[in-house]
Amino acid sequence: MDVFTTDRIRNVALLGHGGAGKTSLVEAMAYLSGQTNRMGKVSDGNTVSDYDKEEIKRAFSIQTSVVPIIWDNTKINVLDTPGYFDFVGEVEEAVSVADAAIIVVSGKAGVETGTKKAWEICERYHLPRMFFVTDMDIDNASFRQVVEDLQELYGKKIAPFHLPIREKEKFVGYVNVVAQTAHRWVESGKVTPMDIPDYSVPNLELCREALLESVAETSEEFMDRYFNGEEFSENEIRQALRVNVSDGSMVPVSMGSCTLAQGVYTLLDDILKYLPSPDKRTCAGINATTNEVYQADYDFSKPKSAYIFKTIQDPFIGKYSLIKVNSGVLKPDDVMLNYHKDTEGKIGKLYIINGAKTEEVKELHAGDIGALAKLTGARTTDSLSTKANPILYIRTTISTPYTCKRYKVKNKADVDKASQALSKLTHEDLTLKVVNDSENSQTLLYGIGDQQLDIVVSKLLNKYKVEIELSKPKVAFRETVRKKSDVEYKYKKQSGGHGQYGHVKMTFEPSGNLEEAYEFSQTVVGGSVPKNYFPAVEKGIQEAVKSGPLAAYPVVGVKTNLYDGSYHPVDSSEMAFKVASAQAFKKGFMQASPVLLEPIASLVVTASEKYTGDIMGDLNKRRARVLGMNPIEGGKQEITADIPYTELDGYTTALRSMTGGEGVYRYEFTRYEQAPDDVQKREIEARANKLSDGEE
């Protein structure tokens, strides 16, 4: 592939709801640009950007893929992102290096939850954006309805650049609002001029008036001319629109059919006309030596630096670190420093990623997206720079995973193999997390949602030949006491020669401190238990609290006191007193009104106001205590509640179902509380069965 300078590059992320047509749009772009000689279909599993076996099997995108489209001597790096919410981490990685976005909306399905989420992420990253309405060849697709819905949500900045033309209920062409011309589709997505239909004239006048108002607002001179009734030339309009689109004060809406490659030719032209090249965007890092801000700004003349925004780990093609060059010009064998890992080395060859394929290039200019192979120790969100000018870029904020499952490797011989495979997957997807919960003898797999975790299971089986099974995670209950007990225990054992003898009298009661397992004290008088055995008595308690007598959970909040006992001058030993105190603990604990404590999470749910009733009703069913509601921007509410950890299993799916995929939540551990009697009874019975089966 040719080398492209910064001004001849566009980095565009395709965003939108799952199934809106993003991958099909990439296919149409690749076909029209001559990159492919026929258009693939998602249903046939032969598209450029959905090449992973899981994507082909499930017929939707799972990971972001980069497809460079060469159009009018300019390279458009198209970042095709997944639309399903479980893969939000892939979207966040893509928009962190995009300079603009195209939000794809289905003309049939209309504005969906994924459309609104795409807008929100563009707002967060201050990305210029356009809307592209697909499926216009379908009978019941409505461009007007989509535009009206968008304008209701986002106001006057929504500006349709095109209007559809239909004849005999078929989508045959469009009206260009800027040029005030009409065009009819012909083969290969190209057009031929036609007259503007009479029914389009009123709409055209309305849209054009809105455009001219926006143009007038770009300068005082234009404002004066507008009020004086002067006409703007087409070039003046386009120049003003370019400014408006770049600063986000105007969002164009165009439309077409991806499967017929209609409207895509115009869209590619509009990307070059209205969306900014990297040299029109800002980019800053921190100089690690001076701690001063380093304005990289995609300037090819500045020292080399780059940012790793994604990692591909594949058992067949190896590891690739996908980068965006933030300054300078990268060349093969450049020596680069990874300041985060304190490693320096040659980067080797430079590659362009094109879906599943890689292609070597001679150099990558500032603002371009490429890949480096087998970069030692490098991880997603690391920065690369020169040793003389070490630069750190702000790491992309990736969504925190809250959906949790316990996993077991079916074949014990594959445990190490599974661990290595999961390590590769977590390097590739930062929203996956493996946690070893030794306290409950389980390994936990965290993700954004259940679908993502199911795909992990499938990937492990198909790519790495390791089979794991997911199940509901065990919750870390605790045991404590509510009353005081007074017990004695005599441990006496004779086995020929020296025997074993330890005798203790102890009290057990609540300490009031659930942060500590136990408090030990002794009030022995008269030497009934010699001082040198006190540590052994405490050690017996120390071991006993690890697994309580009620349900084998760790014990907290117990105050123990050794006040009397006896010893044998020959048979007493540290071991005997340790056993005696441990047995006394079990006996005394069960006599002191033992209870189970369950962990409570502080939960925050965010969703539109219209869903708050359903959310709170569901939380009440889950034994949660709703603490309050807090209105936030965008007509949304934050609902805060305390909820038992046992009730969080499956909450992601339930919340999405209630809110049409819009609701999100987060939680953190806050405290332990006494479990209700029915929960306690159920848990004790379950633990008794597991302990007897030896599964713990």
Side-chain angles (χ1 to χ4, degrees):
M1 184 175 281
D2 293 337
V3 172
F4 290 84
T5 53
T6 310
D7 59 322
R8 291 165 53 217
I9 295 168
R10 302 288 187 277
N11 297 310
V12 180
L14 297 188
L15 310 174
H17 199 83
K22 297 181 293 297
T23 300
S24 298
L25 179 56
V26 177
E27 280 302 301
M29 288 176 167
Y31 174 67
L32 287 180
S33 66
Q35 187 170 311
T36 57
N37 53 20
R38 67 182 183 88
M39 285 173 57
K41 292 182 180 178
V42 172
S43 56
D44 293 343
N46 58 355
T47 61
V48 175
S49 55
D50 281 4
Y51 56 86
D52 186 88
K53 285 183 180 178
E54 292 298 324
E55 293 177 315
I56 294 168
K57 181 171 80 173
R58 298 167 192 269
F60 60 77
S61 300
I62 291 169
Q63 58 191 18
T64 293
S65 53
V66 184
V67 180
I69 304 293
I70 312 304
W71 190 256
D72 195 14
N73 205 26
T74 300
K75 181 163 75 158
I76 305 170
N77 288 313
V78 178
L79 297 136
D80 181 19
T81 69
Y84 289 95
F85 308 133
D86 281 26
F87 312 106
V88 64
E90 296 284 333
V91 179
E92 289 163 336
E93 288 174 354
V95 296
S96 71
V97 294
D99 299 310
I102 294 172
I103 303 176
V104 181
V105 185
S106 167
K108 181 183 177 184
V111 175
E112 299 174 273
T113 301
T115 313
K116 299 172 189 173
K117 285 183 179 280
W119 179 276
E120 287 168 6
I121 202 166
C122 287
E123 289 286 285
R124 198 190 320 158
Y125 284 87
H126 308 293
L127 282 185
R129 70 215 72 154
M130 297 171 63
F131 283 97
F132 185 76
V133 182
T134 61
D135 298 332
M136 290 303 296
D137 55 313
I138 297 173
D139 288 345
N140 57 353
S142 175
F143 181 72
R144 174 185 284 187
Q145 189 60 55
V146 170
V147 171
E148 286 178 359
D149 290 346
L150 290 173
Q151 286 176 334
E152 188 178 333
L153 283 168
Y154 309 120
K156 287 185 176 179
K157 62 170 63 177
I158 301 298
F161 275 20
H162 303 120
L163 300 173
I165 298 174
R166 289 185 183 275
E167 291 177 0
K168 297 177 183 177
E169 298 185 354
K170 284 196 172 182
F171 179 52
V172 296
Y174 70 94
V175 177
N176 186 317
V177 176
V178 178
Q180 298 186 93
T181 55
H183 303 274
R184 181 184 297 276
W185 305 119
V186 291
E187 289 182 10
S188 304
K190 294 182 181 177
V191 292
T192 184
M194 66 178 288
D195 293 331
I196 298 174
D198 292 340
Y199 66 81
S200 294
V201 173
N203 273 342
L204 172 60
E205 288 174 353
L206 284 172
C207 293
R208 186 165 175 81
E209 189 61 31
L211 276 180
L212 292 177
E213 278 184 30
S214 293
V215 169
E217 288 174 3
T218 57
S219 74
E220 288 184 16
E221 181 195 342
F222 278 10
M223 186 70 79
D224 291 340
R225 286 174 58 188
Y226 176 71
F227 282 122
N228 290 331
E230 288 186 38
E231 280 290 317
F232 299 124
S233 70
E234 188 177 326
N235 280 340
E236 285 176 328
I237 293 172
R238 291 195 185 280
Q239 181 58 39
L241 291 179
R242 189 176 294 116
V243 173
N244 284 0
V245 173
S246 289
D247 67 14
S249 60
M250 180 177 283
V251 180
V253 187
S254 58
M255 44 86 203
S257 164
C258 299
T259 53
L260 299 177
Q262 292 174 342
V264 180
Y265 195 104
T266 315
L267 176 65
L268 288 165
D269 280 347
D270 285 347
I271 288 172
L272 302 193
K273 287 174 188 171
Y274 300 116
L275 298 184
S277 54
D279 58 345
K280 301 292 191 295
R281 303 275 292 166
T282 59
C283 170
I286 297 291
N287 187 307
T289 304
T290 63
N291 281 334
E292 293 177 350
V293 174
Y294 174 73
Q295 287 294 151
D297 293 341
Y298 308 111
D299 188 336
F300 75 94
S301 65
K302 290 187 175 180
K304 305 169 197 282
S305 68
Y307 177 73
I308 301 173
F309 72 93
K310 181 174 173 55
T311 302
I312 298 174
Q313 291 261 25
D314 192 281
F316 307 110
I317 65 171
K319 175 187 171 184
Y320 284 94
S321 299
L322 272 60
I323 61 165
K324 184 180 186 183
V325 183
N326 287 351
S327 60
V329 178
L330 246 58
K331 297 181 180 179
D333 296 331
D334 275 344
V335 177
M336 300 296 284
L337 169 73
N338 183 335
Y339 190 85
H340 300 286
K341 303 293 186 292
D342 194 24
T343 57
E344 187 183 28
K346 283 185 181 180
I347 58 174
K349 295 175 181 177
L350 297 175
Y351 297 93
I352 292 295
I353 297 284
N354 186 354
K357 298 173 183 174
T358 57
E359 185 180 336
E360 274 188 58
V361 286
K362 292 184 289 183
E363 55 190 42
L364 287 172
H365 281 242
D368 208 349
I369 287 173
L372 306 173
K374 299 171 184 174
L375 206 57
T376 307
R379 296 285 180 267
T380 303
T381 74
D382 282 355
S383 303
L384 302 176
S385 54
T386 60
K387 195 169 185 178
N389 194 55
I391 304 300
L392 301 177
Y393 291 102
I394 296 172
R395 293 182 184 273
T396 305
T397 302
I398 303 293
S399 294
T400 304
Y402 288 107
T403 301
C404 172
K405 291 289 182 186
R406 178 188 186 186
Y407 85 84
K408 277 187 175 179
V409 182
K410 283 195 174 181
N411 184 350
K412 287 187 177 180
D414 289 340
V415 169
D416 288 343
K417 194 175 174 184
S419 177
Q420 290 169 9
L422 279 169
S423 176
K424 288 181 179 179
L425 291 179
T426 54
H427 287 162
E428 199 172 29
D429 185 350
L430 298 187
T431 62
L432 280 179
K433 189 170 68 172
V434 178
V435 176
N436 183 22
D437 180 12
S438 56
E439 183 182 301
N440 291 295
S441 304
Q442 61 181 350
T443 314
L444 302 175
L445 187 61
Y446 282 85
I448 299 295
D450 293 326
Q451 188 177 55
Q452 180 191 18
L453 297 182
D454 289 342
I455 287 171
V456 168
V457 174
S458 186
K459 276 187 175 182
L460 286 171
L461 182 61
N462 297 324
K463 275 190 176 182
Y464 298 97
K465 311 305 176 192
V466 175
E467 193 171 1
I468 67 168
E469 56 184 0
L470 302 179
S471 59
K472 186 177 178 179
K474 289 187 286 186
V475 174
F477 282 80
R478 294 287 186 267
E479 300 180 22
T480 193
V481 294
R482 289 183 298 178
K483 295 180 180 176
K484 185 173 182 177
S485 64
D486 189 335
V487 298
E488 73 170 301
Y489 191 89
K490 187 180 287 183
Y491 178 62
K492 193 174 182 182
K493 193 173 183 183
Q494 201 69 40
S495 56
H498 284 310
Q500 295 286 348
Y501 182 89
H503 176 212
V504 293
K505 292 182 180 180
M506 304 182 75
T507 59
F508 301 92
E509 60 187 307
S511 70
N513 179 14
L514 298 181
E515 300 292 319
E516 299 290 337
Y518 69 93
E519 292 177 13
F520 175 74
S521 62
Q522 56 78 27
T523 54
V524 176
V525 292
S528 55
V529 177
K531 286 182 180 178
N532 58 308
Y533 291 131
F534 293 168
V537 172
E538 184 176 0
K539 194 160 187 183
I541 302 297
Q542 194 176 5
E543 292 192 1
V545 297
K546 291 177 182 175
S547 179
L550 191 60
Y553 282 115
V555 172
V556 293
V558 178
K559 186 178 180 181
T560 69
N561 181 51
L562 170 69
Y563 69 90
D564 202 1
S566 62
Y567 75 103
H568 189 280
V570 176
D571 291 347
S572 285
S573 66
E574 289 187 359
M575 175 61 73
F577 274 99
K578 180 180 156 186
V579 172
S581 68
Q583 294 301 320
F585 176 84
K586 289 180 181 178
K587 184 179 175 184
F589 189 90
M590 296 305 288
Q591 290 178 14
S593 187
V595 290
L596 276 186
L597 301 175
E598 63 178 345
I600 304 296
S602 176
L603 176 74
V604 179
V605 184
T606 305
S608 290
E609 198 168 352
K610 62 184 176 182
Y611 299 120
T612 53
D614 291 340
I615 291 169
M616 288 195 286
D618 179 71
L619 288 174
N620 288 331
K621 289 178 189 173
R622 293 173 180 269
R623 300 191 291 120
R625 284 195 301 274
V626 176
L627 303 177
M629 290 200 312
N630 177 36
I632 58 174
E633 61 180 319
K636 294 187 177 182
Q637 292 277 350
E638 271 190 351
I639 301 167
T640 56
D642 283 348
I643 185 170
Y645 265 71
T646 50
E647 302 295 339
L648 284 169
D649 187 59
Y651 189 61
T652 303
T653 304
L655 181 62
R656 286 182 185 170
S657 176
M658 280 184 286
T659 63
E662 182 195 293
V664 294
Y665 70 99
R666 64 183 189 274
Y667 65 85
E668 60 182 15
F669 171 77
T670 179
R671 65 183 178 280
Y672 276 94
E673 279 184 5
Q674 184 176 327
D677 291 343
D678 58 329
V679 174
Q680 185 165 303
K681 184 181 177 184
R682 187 170 65 242
E683 194 64 27
I684 290 171
E685 287 175 359
R687 296 287 282 188
N689 293 338
K690 287 186 178 182
L691 287 171
S692 64
D693 293 341
E695 282 188 23
E696 188 56 31

